Amino acid sequence: MTDSSRLCLCLTGPTLESDLRLLEEYRPFIGLAEVRADFLSAGEIASAARLPRLAGLPVILTVRRVRDGGRFAGSESDRVALLRKLAAGGFAFVDLEEDVEAPGLEADIEAGGGRIIRSMHDFSGVPVDLAVRMRRLARSPRELPKAAVMTRGTADLAGLLDAFGELAGTEKVLLGMGDCGFATRVLASRLGSRICYSSPPEASAAPGQADPRTLETLYRFSRIDAGTAVYGVIGNPVMHSLSPSIHNRGFAALGLNAVYLPFLVDDLAAFWTVADSIDIRGISVTAPFKEEVLPALVRRDALVEALGACNTIIRGRGTERGEWEGANTDVEGFLAPLREAFGGAIPRGLRATVIGAGGASRAVVHALSSQGAEVLLLNRTMERAGELARRFPVSAAPLDERAPALAHEYSSLIVQASSAGMEPDAGVDPFPGYQFSGREVVYELIYRPHVTAFLERARRAGCRLVFGEQMLLAQAREQFRLFTGLNLPPEAFGPHRENIHETTP
Ligand code: NAP
């Protein structure tokens, strides 16, 4: 059974015709639409009354004031008159803000067959008394209370989830605006919110709204229910991570009732509360939290101990809520594509150069040392390279004009593990002085862009290439197994699959 009835498309076009075009484009994914009459041009605004007849699904009427994040700049009496006139058009819902005082307006709306959504908006954060205010919002049992509040950070999301808990079992619309509140949109049905508002990617009606196609095809919105297992990736930044695409495709292909979300985190302590509130089952960890999560782990695998970094967290088996076990899949994620590049086995005694000494290099250097490779580590900041050289058996040198000559001595494999060349600085080449001979295997960790400037030079020289996406997929494969006990199916590779075929020598 699917439930798309709560997914609402916000129509913010300047004309009725443009709104109807949008509606047709997204119709397969949505259950209702909201016409934002405040976005219609002055000449078109009256035509909003025709939408309920033309739409073929329930429509919400909203005329939002500027102070509530809308565009209606006229007087309140003009707005009330407009609402009264439009409401006769047969809208399923009419949105009225909590402070609206217009004698007879509610009765007129109900006479037209509409139900009132009584809404409050807070762009400054999540009020501490949100649940209390929500309970007082509806003026009659027929009204549907709605709060849209800004989640400025993880602590706000934790507060909002508390309000969801206090309001469990009551009919409501509750959502967190902004990227930190993204989970409250995707999990609307699991959390008990009657409507999830969405917009086309190019015309977001409110901060943090996703588009209906992404919600349905990537997150399988209409299938999420109380039993859906939640997984996610924490990081900062994280909203453009490819991991949701990989894991959600995997869940879908196996028919698992599970969803994987990005969690933009600015406060790890608050995130643990969020994880318990939503009962998150497993977490991928990306920069800058791979070390910061360590104290929260009740058990760590040997690689987490060796690296001092964790990229995968699962609920402890047979432990209390809030107890987490940590693993590291970056090492195997790095090694699996390397084995492939060397035809199945990495030769012993490989002489390798690694560029960069950040978090990713740690896994790379550990992986190469475990294979008996001799490693030259080059970094812009020598101090950081020195720290790694004290922990692992590698030679360290600065990434300066003398580095190319040194690297030619360690050139069976060149690993680019710095963030130089990553979008938006795609043109940057971290090692322009190095001339490829064409005999090197060149491994780039960056996966955005797919081909960095550094990798393009290596490709032109005829080197064998390993792409960042290959490592990303290989480490995700290990994570998926830890999360579900199952193998990541090939469908999970989605659009990335072709890249891998194109790039594997
Ligand atoms: P990090 O901890 O922030 O370290 C960044 C490294 O890049 C540092 O060594 C830094 O040198 C160096 N760097 C930055 N800008 C530079 C420049 N203009 N020239 C030379 N060196 C520069 O980052 P990280 O977590 O190690 O990640 C590094 C890259 O690997 C990122 O692009 C990340 O997306 C990618 N990654 C990919 C995967 C995958 O699965 N494919 C996994 C993990 C990471 P200083 O010390 O001098 O600042």
Side-chain angles (χ1 to χ4, degrees), residues 105-398:
L105 177 60
E106 286 85 352
D108 286 353
I109 290 169
E110 290 186 1
R115 186 175 175 196
I116 292 160
I117 295 176
R118 188 66 66 175
S119 64
M120 59 170 274
H121 299 85
D122 196 329
F123 288 90
S124 68
V126 177
V128 283
D129 58 349
L130 178 59
V132 174
R133 285 180 62 186
M134 276 291 278
R135 276 206 193 90
R136 290 190 193 137
L137 211 49
R139 295 183 192 173
S140 81
R142 260 192 58 76
E143 292 195 1
L144 176 60
K146 168 190 170 185
V149 293
M150 184 61 80
T151 37
R152 297 157 304 174
T154 317
D156 273 351
L157 176 59
L160 180 53
L161 291 170
D162 280 349
F164 269 109
E166 287 175 53
L167 296 166
T170 65
E171 199 189 16
K172 63 194 166 292
V173 178
L174 193 50
L175 60 97
M177 293 183 281
D179 287 342
C180 288
F182 184 67
T184 63
R185 296 187 185 273
V186 181
L187 300 178
S189 52
R190 192 172 180 277
L191 292 168
S193 182
R194 170 69 183 79
I195 298 169
C196 169
Y197 294 86
S198 62
S199 301
E202 66 284 359
S204 182
Q209 274 188 4
D211 76 280
R213 185 174 282 113
T214 302
L215 282 168
E216 193 48 48
T217 57
L218 177 58
Y219 296 103
R220 294 185 296 156
F221 178 88
S222 62
R223 289 173 185 272
I224 293 174
D225 58 25
T228 303
V230 179
Y231 297 84
V233 52
I234 58 169
N236 194 340
V238 78
M239 296 311 286
H240 292 100
S241 165
L242 289 178
S243 295
S245 155
I246 298 169
H247 289 279
N248 283 319
R249 281 170 192 276
F251 295 150
L254 294 174
L256 299 181
N257 186 8
V259 66
Y260 182 105
L261 307 170
F263 288 91
L264 179 64
V265 169
D266 65 348
D267 174 346
L268 192 59
F271 176 73
W272 299 125
T273 312
V274 168
D276 277 348
S277 290
I278 315 180
D279 192 20
I280 297 178
R281 310 306 308 162
I283 303 161
S284 307
V285 183
T286 187
F289 297 114
K290 288 186 182 183
E291 292 164 51
E292 205 180 326
V293 297
L294 296 182
L297 306 176
V298 292
R299 264 192 293 277
R300 306 164 183 191
D301 76 2
L303 282 174
V304 173
E305 292 292 356
L307 294 174
C310 168
N311 79 331
T312 311
I313 295 179
I314 52 171
R315 289 263 175 212
R317 282 172 291 270
T319 57
E320 294 295 311
R321 258 191 170 200
E323 294 196 346
W324 300 98
E325 292 180 0
N328 197 305
T329 68
D330 281 336
V331 171
E332 180 51 26
F334 173 75
L335 287 176
L338 195 60
R339 273 188 223 109
E340 233 180 88
F342 280 111
I346 299 164
R348 298 297 293 178
L350 198 68
R351 289 175 69 81
T353 296
V354 176
I355 304 162
S361 303
R362 255 200 241 196
V364 169
V365 162
H366 178 85
L368 290 173
S369 309
S370 73
Q371 299 299 304
E374 288 183 51
V375 178
L376 169 69
L377 180 67
L378 298 173
N379 198 45
R380 187 176 57 175
T381 310
M382 190 50 204
E383 204 184 342
R384 231 172 151 191
E387 272 170 41
L388 272 195
R390 279 191 290 281
R391 195 167 181 142
F392 300 99
V394 298
S395 309

